[in-house]
Amino acid sequence: MKRLTFYVVALHSLFLGIVIANAKTLAVEVGNQKRETASVSPSVSIPMSSPLPLSKVWVINNQKSQHQSFIWVQDTKKTGQQPFLLIAKDSEKPDKDKPEKPDEKPDSTSKPSKKDDLEDFNEVIKDTQKQQGLFTLYRNKDENKIYLEIKPEQLNKNFLATATLESGIGEAGIYSGMPLQDFLFYFQQVDKKLNFVVRNVNFRTREGDPQARSLARSFSDSVLYSIEIKSIHPQRKSILIDLSDLLLTDLAGLTSSLGLPGSADESYFGNAKVFPQNVEIESVMNFSGSSSDDEDEEDSDQTLGFISVPDSRGFTLRVHYSLSQLPNNNYQPRLADDRIGYFITAYQDLSNDERKEPFVRYINRWHLEKQDPNAPISPPKKPIVFWIDNAVPLEYRSAITEGVLMWNKAFEAAGFKDAIQVKQMPDNAKWEPADIRYNTIRWINTIDGYFAMGPSRVNPLTGEILNASILVDASFIRALKSEYRQIIQPNENERQTRTSLTAFMHNRLLCANGLEANKNQTKRKLFAKHLSKLAGEYDLCYGMEAANQFAFGSLAIRLLQPAPPSSEQVKNYIHQYLRLIIAHEVGHTLGLRHNFRGSTMLTPEQLNNTDITRNRGLVSSVMDYIPPNIAPQDQKQGDYFPQMVGPYDDWAIQYGYTQFPATTPVAEKPFLNKIAEKSDQPELTYATDEDMYDLDPTADAWDNSNNVLLYSRWQLENARIMWDRLNKRPPMDGDSYSDMREQFGTVLGNYFQNIYYATKYIGGQSFYRVHPSEKQQKLPFKAVPVEKQRQALALLQKYIFAEDAFNFSPDLLNKLAPSRWRHWGSSPRIGRLDYPIHDLVLFMQSLVLWDLLSGDRLSRLKDMEFKNKAENSLTLPELFDTLQNGIWTEVLKPEGKTITISSLRRGIQRQYVETLSEMVLRKQYVPEDARTLAWYKLKQLSEKLDNVRAEDEYTKAHLLETRDRIKKVLDAPLQGN
Ligand SMILES: [Zn+2]
């Protein structure tokens, strides 16, 4: 029987799937969402890099709409680059006449064959209002028509199109301000059609290379639309098209992502404005859940089941399009270096066969030029300006401003003064935040609690960042003011499939797998897939876990201090955190990737020394995911969050933005190398998203200090104090028992997180991105010292396996009542209401045990014995021995004549025997040596079991049954491989 013991109650759920799949039903189903469990093999795949499935885009061809398959191009090499569409099969390409080389002048086909078929130019634009700029627009508001005039010299020229969701529904990733789709495109005339073609920028060669022809044949640009030309101006020869053919047809691919057709009849234009370098147009799309012709339709459910819209069968979305010219400046791309974390624009250079490396990689960065090129420090000709959306509440504007301006310190290291500026969007502003000319910090509202991300728009040819926006979700701020929910959430699936600890924690800390769609779930999952990409690139998940971390910190302040914090203290705490979040997101918009070693600069003790933290910084990089710094009870609390960007940030900006006297990217290399060479300095070390799937205790999200083990032990001790005070102190103002349950869960979540960090020491090693050179002594891999591994094992014994590891007071457990509100947005749990303490503790213990004895970990340990001196290695026998002694202490070192084993301990002991038995019976893959050791350990244990006696029936039965089980396992016929 399936017990529904663990309902997932995280309303801001880490798993998009939960909200989507179950919003329309009661919470019963919630625990059952399936998740891919990351394999424990050494080559753990990075979920966010997995290719997105074929999605479909409407292609308008010959006035008929037809489906055409496209691939959302995505790979980690291009992290940070905007998504591009590639046509899935290019056999049926309609554009045989397209020029062989992208830059060729329009050929003869650009002349209209017969003018007579076209309408009269003046007739078409009759009764329209004309707006001139990059393109000329003619608008007839009454008829909902916009015509676009394209000059002949604009054909075959690159333009950038970006689509942004201007208004969302505040749920399931459909948020206002979400970037939807960017592409580099050109207009191409083919007879009486105008093709809207997306440029393939992934393969390039030098000008004049004959291979350009083969390139054009081999790698196709993608014709997204083929539009009927309305008219051609008799004198100007410019081309007129009906823009609704292009923009009211869901160019952004939103409908396919949602799996719903958006009917063009129900779409119309909102604002449309033209400027010299860009055109800003809004299209309003009405969605209805009526029908869908997805052939792989499995889902008979016609409604989307959103809970934030009054009737989810229909809703309206506004999509903002920007068509803009690529900047015509003297921007020089800058080559990337793998020791410094920038988002990258890469292409394959086919012009030189002798290069070892086919890829050319540019960092993404802004075009900054010194006003005075000779001054050591100069203001830029054009600073990077961020506008604070006029919807941002007044009380948060100063924190946001400070967070943005933090980066000016780093730019000074690169020779720029006041490189970044902040301006306030006026209340009566005539422009919209999605306008590509403005970098904005927008305020949005969602119900599922993602809160901040920093997407940017990049020229895919050069890596030049053209525009950036930061989204801050107001619900995050709401969460800051009340406690947020976090509980360890095992579900049936995780327990049955033995989810690896790493996968389990990454789901929670990074939501990497959690957003992965599941094949047999609904079409809305398509959108989740798109989201998972955004999550990887734009920090959707940061927001979710950041809210939890924040809640833990504010709870810690309340419970660990002798007196409740003043409102000033609370305000200050919020201010510090919001400022940090903004600094992190701004860092992304400057081109920087995560650096999960950012928190490893200081020792745990130094973290609370404000002389150090306010001069050198609390962290080496704000591009880490940084938890609130909480001091142990016997130390004075220092700063909770960093006040400044750190040395790594300064250095990275120096690499990306310092101006060099070099006129080509290659000529900059010696200058760049000089900067990058410093990467072996401890405060400049860098490890990013794809590095943290290894067992490296120095590179993880939300951990802290250069001695994570010690810092984590402090937090584990803090957690015990917090539980105690939660129970003993009178409830805080207005707190209900369900609040208390959430607070208990918040602490438990943090407790387990620190346990997880400790497990990374065992068999762990650090990976450094160093290059070989004469003066470089450091090697890429460095094992965790054996002493540290032993300490980690001792810590796990004390805080997770020991008899008194979870000594909760019965009173406290009986206070943990769930919320009983039932209405939209709040589903009360049904079934078991009290706290399932045994199952929860056993689940946590089992996760750790499985992971320590997983095939992957044991193989690593074996290899490390080979790669290091024996005395510097934690051997497999030592690991088995330590675990057996810790888990079976009562039997192996009995105190007195009879023994008693408590219920929590009986649970983990059974689990231990079960795990070893599976090794012996070859049900789990482990190295042969480990299997033999498991057999040996079980034999030893069974001998000891013969010698102990128990009085109480629980223990008696437990001992007898275990003895019997081990005997059966040892006697079982040997199963071959
Ligand atoms: Zn981030």
Side-chain angles (χ1 to χ4, degrees):
M1 194 180 85
K2 262 197 179 176
R3 281 180 305 161
L4 286 165
T5 312
F6 302 115
Y7 306 110
V8 180
V9 284
L11 294 180
H12 74 299
S13 170
L14 296 188
F15 315 115
L16 191 71
I18 299 173
V19 179
I20 292 173
N22 299 288
K24 59 188 179 295
T25 64
L26 263 177
V28 189
E29 297 171 17
V30 173
N32 295 333
Q33 106 279 18
K34 296 214 180 80
R35 183 163 334 114
E36 319 245 277
T37 51
S39 85
V40 265
S41 73
S43 58
V44 173
S45 66
I46 299 166
M48 65 186 81
S49 74
S50 61
L52 293 165
L54 281 184
S55 37
K56 287 169 185 142
V57 173
W58 289 89
V59 175
I60 308 297
N61 209 349
N62 302 325
Q63 298 286 54
K64 278 185 293 181
S65 7
Q66 58 181 69
H67 264 138
Q68 189 143 20
S69 295
F70 281 82
I71 300 165
W72 294 75
V73 178
Q74 197 226 2
D75 66 66
T76 43
K77 297 225 170 59
K78 290 189 293 176
T79 311
Q81 197 171 313
Q82 305 306 320
F84 279 87
L85 290 176
L86 269 191
I87 199 161
K89 43 177 184 178
D90 54 1
S91 54
E92 298 162 298
K93 284 176 54 61
D95 55 331
K96 287 209 183 77
D97 299 324
K98 93 191 196 25
E100 291 207 304
K101 215 176 77 178
D103 295 328
E104 257 175 39
K105 287 272 179 313
D107 57 19
S108 57
T109 55
S110 61
K111 290 191 193 103
S113 48
K114 267 187 238 159
K115 254 188 194 169
D116 326 348
D117 296 346
L118 302 172
E119 293 175 47
D120 181 74
F121 198 97
N122 289 322
E123 195 59 33
V124 179
I125 62 165
K126 203 173 64 181
D127 303 325
T128 60
Q129 277 187 318
K130 183 176 177 183
Q131 294 184 60
Q132 272 181 303
L134 177 65
F135 299 104
T136 306
L137 288 191
Y138 300 91
R139 177 163 199 182
N140 184 332
K141 275 202 174 159
D142 299 336
E143 289 176 21
N144 188 32
K145 282 283 179 201
I146 296 183
Y147 298 100
L148 185 77
E149 182 181 345
I150 300 147
K151 296 179 204 127
E153 63 268 27
Q154 287 176 317
L155 291 174
N156 303 301
K157 261 192 151 171
N158 289 329
F159 293 95
L160 191 70
T162 66
T164 311
L165 201 54
E166 180 65 43
S167 79
I169 59 172
E171 191 180 335
I174 308 175
Y175 309 136
S176 71
M178 287 283 283
L180 292 173
Q181 181 66 284
D182 298 357
F183 21 66
L184 193 69
F185 75 96
Y186 58 94
F187 288 115
Q188 178 192 51
Q189 187 184 1
V190 179
D191 297 329
K192 280 176 286 179
K193 294 274 174 58
L194 190 74
N195 287 344
F196 180 90
V197 191
V198 175
R199 181 78 82 198
N200 186 338
V201 293
N202 294 340
F203 301 93
R204 309 179 198 170
T205 187
R206 66 174 194 277
E207 213 160 336
D209 182 354
Q211 285 192 91
R213 291 197 191 92
S214 127
L215 216 58
R217 280 196 297 269
S218 313
F219 307 108
S220 140
D221 288 352
S222 307
V223 178
L224 267 196
Y225 290 88
S226 189
I227 304 165
E228 210 67 49
I229 293 175
K230 278 274 172 200
S231 180
I232 295 183
H233 196 276
Q235 283 84 42
R236 297 199 292 272
K237 303 291 178 205
S238 50
I239 291 171
L240 197 66
I241 57 164
D242 183 344
L243 204 55
S244 56
D245 290 344
L246 190 63
L247 298 190
L248 294 184
T249 51
D250 191 19
L251 184 61
L254 191 64
T255 48
S256 65
S257 305
L258 284 168
L260 278 179
S263 158
D265 309 338
E266 296 170 52
S267 301
Y268 55 93
F269 287 113
N271 285 333
K273 291 176 198 162
V274 183
F275 305 96
Q277 282 163 21
N278 58 316
V279 177
E280 305 289 324
I281 298 168
E282 197 178 82
S283 78
V284 183
M285 311 186 72
N286 284 314
F287 285 82
S288 60
S290 53
S291 71
S292 164
D293 51 4
D294 265 1
E295 60 266 32
D296 52 357
E297 183 66 79
E298 295 171 5
D299 181 11
S300 60
D301 188 350
Q302 296 300 330
T303 71
L304 285 168
F306 295 124
I307 57 179
S308 65
V309 289
D311 184 336
S312 67
R313 281 171 302 186
F315 57 90
T316 301
L317 298 176
R318 307 173 85 87
V319 178
H320 185 108
Y321 292 99
S322 287
L323 307 180
S324 58
Q325 208 164 34
L326 286 174
N328 184 15
N329 53 24
N330 53 349
Y331 178 80
Q332 183 170 302
R334 178 155 292 179
L335 293 170
D337 189 297
D338 68 344
R339 292 166 287 188
I340 303 171
Y342 270 91
F343 290 115
I344 282 174
T345 294
Y347 64 91
Q348 279 208 20
D349 184 356
L350 307 178
S351 67
N352 185 349
D353 293 338
E354 271 139 47
R355 292 157 47 95
K356 269 184 282 177
E357 170 67 80
F359 283 103
V360 175
R361 306 182 180 94
Y362 296 140
I363 62 168
N364 293 354
R365 58 167 188 159
W366 294 84
H367 180 51
L368 276 192
E369 275 181 301
K370 281 182 177 178
Q371 274 180 23
D372 176 359
N374 298 319
I377 292 193
S378 160
K381 285 184 184 161
K382 200 173 152 231
I384 305 163
V385 180
F386 276 98
W387 293 83
I388 299 181
D389 182 0
N390 54 22
V392 174
L394 293 172
E395 55 190 305
Y396 303 124
R397 292 183 184 181
S398 68
I400 290 176
T401 306
E402 286 173 29
V404 178
L405 295 181
M406 257 192 209
W407 285 96
N408 275 332
K409 171 177 94 88
F411 276 100
E412 278 178 28
F416 287 99
K417 191 177 159 43
D418 298 329
I420 303 196
Q421 293 176 9
V422 180
K423 290 187 179 165
Q424 180 58 51
M425 178 184 184
D427 285 343
N428 57 359
K430 292 281 194 301
W431 48 275
E432 280 143 29
D435 189 326
I436 191 143
R437 294 170 304 158
Y438 296 93
N439 308 310
T440 50
I441 296 172
R442 305 179 65 168
W443 201 252
I444 61 172
N445 276 279
T446 76
I447 60 159
D448 38 18
Y450 309 115
F451 85 92
M453 57 180 188
S456 55
R457 260 72 201 242
V458 174
N459 179 346
L461 295 171
T462 61
E464 180 186 354
I465 299 175
L466 305 172
N467 168 271
S469 57
I470 288 170
L471 308 182
V472 183
D473 177 358
S475 64
F476 163 69
I477 299 293
R478 280 196 295 276
L480 302 190
K481 292 191 166 169
S482 59
E483 296 308 326
Y484 221 56
R485 304 152 180 83
Q486 166 72 332
I487 186 169
I488 302 278
Q489 302 148 15
N491 61 35
E492 289 294 330
N493 195 42
E494 275 166 338
R495 292 195 294 171
Q496 281 161 10
T497 58
R498 294 213 168 171
T499 305
S500 89
L501 180 61
T502 313
F504 183 83
M505 290 311 287
H506 279 181
N507 271 337
R508 276 149 184 81
L509 303 180
L510 297 165
C511 75
N513 292 317
L515 285 173
E516 269 204 359
N518 173 352
K519 282 188 203 82
N520 58 19
Q521 285 202 6
T522 69
K523 56 197 170 184
R524 274 176 279 111
K525 285 287 189 172
L526 275 176
F527 198 83
K529 282 249 181 185
H530 180 53
L531 257 188
S532 74
K533 171 186 158 34
L534 293 167
E537 289 184 8
Y538 303 135
D539 264 359
L540 273 179
C541 305
Y542 181 27
M544 292 187 273
E545 181 54 26
N548 286 320
Q549 292 292 327
F550 186 92
F552 173 77
S554 53
L555 188 60
I557 294 172
R558 281 161 55 171
L559 291 173
L560 294 174
Q561 288 186 0
S566 65
S567 68
E568 201 51 40
Q569 252 183 317
V570 172
K571 247 170 114 180
N572 191 28
Y573 178 76
I574 294 176
H575 181 93
Q576 282 190 26
Y577 199 39
L578 185 56
R579 183 177 60 187
L580 172 66
I581 298 302
I582 296 294
H584 177 98
E585 298 306 330
V586 169
H588 282 316
T589 66
L590 296 175
L592 297 182
R593 294 193 61 192
H594 290 138
N595 180 2
F596 290 115
R597 287 228 176 90
S599 59
T600 60
M601 184 169 74
L602 302 181
T603 66
E605 292 83 3
Q606 286 171 331
L607 292 175
N608 292 306
N609 181 340
T610 48
D611 287 342
I612 295 173
T613 59
R614 291 180 193 173
N615 290 308
R616 260 176 87 196
L618 187 68
V619 292
S620 70
S621 174
V622 295
M623 300 316 292
D624 200 343
Y625 285 179
I626 299 160
N629 166 46
I630 309 289
Q633 283 288 282
D634 56 358
Q635 272 183 41
K636 190 169 175 294
Q637 172 71 44
D639 286 326
Y640 296 109
F641 299 107
Q643 308 201 332
M644 55 171 83
V645 301
Y648 168 86
D649 299 322
D650 295 347
W651 176 65
I653 292 294
Q654 217 180 357
Y655 181 91
Y657 289 89
T658 306
Q659 296 203 293
F660 303 115
T663 49
T664 65
V666 174
E668 286 190 341
K669 259 191 166 168
F671 298 101
L672 293 172
N673 226 343
K674 231 173 158 183
I675 297 178
E677 266 172 4
K678 295 182 188 159
S679 74
D680 59 338
Q681 294 177 17
E683 72 271 20
L684 303 183
T685 181
Y686 163 63
T688 193
D689 297 64
E690 53 270 28
D691 299 337
M692 58 187 275
Y693 290 79
D694 200 11
L695 263 187
D696 183 346
T698 66
D700 215 328
W702 311 110
D703 60 351
N704 212 355
S705 89
N706 70 1
N707 184 348
V708 174
L709 201 57
L710 178 58
Y711 185 85
S712 287
R713 177 155 47 216
W714 287 356
Q715 301 316 313
L716 293 165
E717 279 302 317
N718 278 341
R720 289 179 170 181
I721 294 164
M722 287 167 76
W723 280 322
D724 193 47
R725 297 202 177 148
L726 202 57
N727 185 33
K728 288 183 185 150
R729 280 197 185 169
M732 287 168 273
D733 271 352
D735 274 2
S736 64
Y737 284 123
S738 68
D739 292 328
M740 200 181 269
R741 183 175 177 128
E742 280 164 15
Q743 290 159 2
F744 178 87
T746 297
V747 180
L748 191 59
N750 188 270
Y751 188 92
F752 193 60
Q753 194 179 324
N754 283 293
I755 291 288
Y756 161 69
Y757 296 139
T759 64
K760 291 186 86 174
Y761 279 76
I762 295 140
Q765 64 187 0
S766 293
F767 169 67
Y768 296 97
R769 293 166 170 251
V770 289
H771 290 187
S773 84
E774 274 174 28
K775 57 178 194 166
Q776 179 56 261
Q777 298 302 312
K778 220 177 207 175
L779 298 181
F781 291 104
K782 187 167 183 288
V784 173
V786 64
E787 253 332 292
K788 285 267 180 190
Q789 300 194 46
R790 287 184 183 129
Q791 285 169 21
L793 271 178
L795 180 141
L796 293 176
Q797 171 61 24
K798 178 167 179 195
Y799 292 95
I800 192 97
F801 295 134
E803 180 160 10
D804 59 354
F806 296 96
N807 241 348
F808 298 121
S809 135
D811 255 8
L812 176 61
L813 294 175
N814 283 317
K815 287 176 186 170
L816 307 178
S819 157
R820 306 309 296 151
W821 290 114
R822 182 177 178 182
H823 50 78
W824 80 268
S826 174
S827 310
R829 67 170 57 214
I830 57 172
R832 184 171 172 181
L833 297 181
D834 64 331
Y835 211 81
I837 193 67
H838 273 104
D839 287 357
L840 204 52
V841 169
L842 182 60
F843 182 73
M844 291 193 293
Q845 291 174 326
S846 305
L847 269 181
V848 175
L849 184 69
W850 295 336
D851 218 65
L852 292 180
L853 293 177
S854 69
D856 177 51
R857 175 101 49 173
L858 298 171
S859 305
R860 282 163 182 278
L861 282 164
K862 243 192 115 195
D863 280 357
M864 283 170 72
E865 284 182 49
F866 195 70
K867 293 175 192 163
N868 299 283
K869 286 190 189 132
E871 64 268 27
N872 293 337
S873 303
L874 183 78
T875 61
L876 294 188
E878 182 175 351
L879 175 68
F880 276 91
D881 209 48
T882 312
L883 287 175
Q884 182 142 315
N885 280 327
I887 291 170
W888 282 95
T889 323
E890 296 91 333
V891 170
L892 300 178
K893 290 171 188 154
E895 293 172 359
K897 278 185 190 157
T898 62
I899 62 168
T900 312
I901 301 178
S902 69
S903 63
L904 289 177
R905 289 282 285 176
R906 294 195 298 270
I908 183 61
Q909 288 173 355
R910 279 187 202 107
Q911 196 60 65
Y912 174 83
V913 170
E914 175 76 19
T915 308
L916 265 59
S917 302
E918 285 179 357
M919 289 186 199
V920 173
L921 300 174
R922 296 181 195 273
K923 284 184 185 165
Q924 298 282 340
Y925 166 76
V926 290
E928 273 306 296
D929 274 343
R931 196 186 62 72
T932 320
L933 280 168
W935 179 89
Y936 179 57
K937 285 317 225 192
L938 284 182
K939 201 165 174 58
Q940 277 185 333
L941 180 60
S942 90
E943 280 161 17
K944 290 281 181 185
L945 283 167
D946 291 337
N947 301 331
V948 286
R949 223 172 304 138
E951 293 280 301
D952 74 299
E953 293 225 344
Y954 272 129
T955 310
K956 246 190 229 170
H958 173 60
L959 293 174
L960 274 174
E961 197 257 2
T962 307
R963 209 178 302 163
D964 190 53
R965 266 169 78 191
I966 294 180
K967 188 172 178 330
K968 281 179 182 145
V969 170
L970 296 178
D971 292 347
L974 190 66
Q975 295 180 10
N977 277 317

